[in-house]
Amino acid sequence: MKPIDPLLLAVVRLSTSQDRRPLTRATGFLLRGGEAESVFLVTCRHVFIDPLTGHYPDRVQIDLHTDASNLAATTSAVLPLYVQGTAAWRQGRDAAGEVDVATLKLHAEQMPQAALWHVFPAEGPSELPPEVGLGTPVLIVGFPMGFHDE
């Protein structure tokens, strides 16, 4: 079998829950950032909180691959979204205000030892062109409608 493309190890399936009750599924990716070479989970802010729909999960589960040749072999890490009542995640902002992007810092002790994962560098993948023109084919990796590597 061919080894898994690193892109597929950097994109993760997410599941949210509240009081251990399953809520939603989503997609995120892993990004290296900060001076201490920290790793962050990046996803849409509405995955972590969405007052308009009453979505208030208290934890997120990320699914990670465990076998470089078998996409169906996975393990999970369950991460709290709040620590002592304070959001553990950070929301994105720009000059116009809040944007629908959020990050959650990952800690080594939270991650399963068997997990294989790849992290996008903070400056972005080096193989990307500086500009992507209109009509350029792109590949978007994600887990829509609950699909997963099976």
Side-chain angles (χ1 to χ4, degrees), residues 41-125:
L41 168 65
V42 181
T43 190
C44 296
R45 185 217 24 112
H46 70 261
V47 172
F48 295 159
I49 188 170
D50 190 358
L52 293 176
T53 63
H55 180 64
Y56 295 101
D58 57 14
R59 68 196 72 207
V60 63
Q61 173 181 308
I62 62 173
D63 296 334
L64 302 157
H65 295 285
T66 59
D67 185 327
S69 300
N70 180 359
L71 286 174
T74 61
T75 188
S76 299
V78 178
L79 311 170
L81 291 177
Y82 295 88
V83 176
Q84 298 178 350
T86 301
W89 47 272
R90 299 295 172 255
Q91 180 169 336
R93 298 184 59 82
D94 66 9
E98 295 179 348
V99 295
D100 193 22
V101 174
T103 62
L104 178 66
K105 186 175 182 179
L106 303 181
H107 302 279
E109 64 273 9
Q110 295 173 308
M111 306 308 288
Q113 286 189 335
L116 301 176
W117 41 305
H118 178 76
V119 179
F120 288 116
E123 60 276 0

Side-chain angles (χ1 to χ4, degrees), residues 131-139:
E131 293 185 26
V132 178
L134 184 63
T136 301
V138 297
L139 171 68

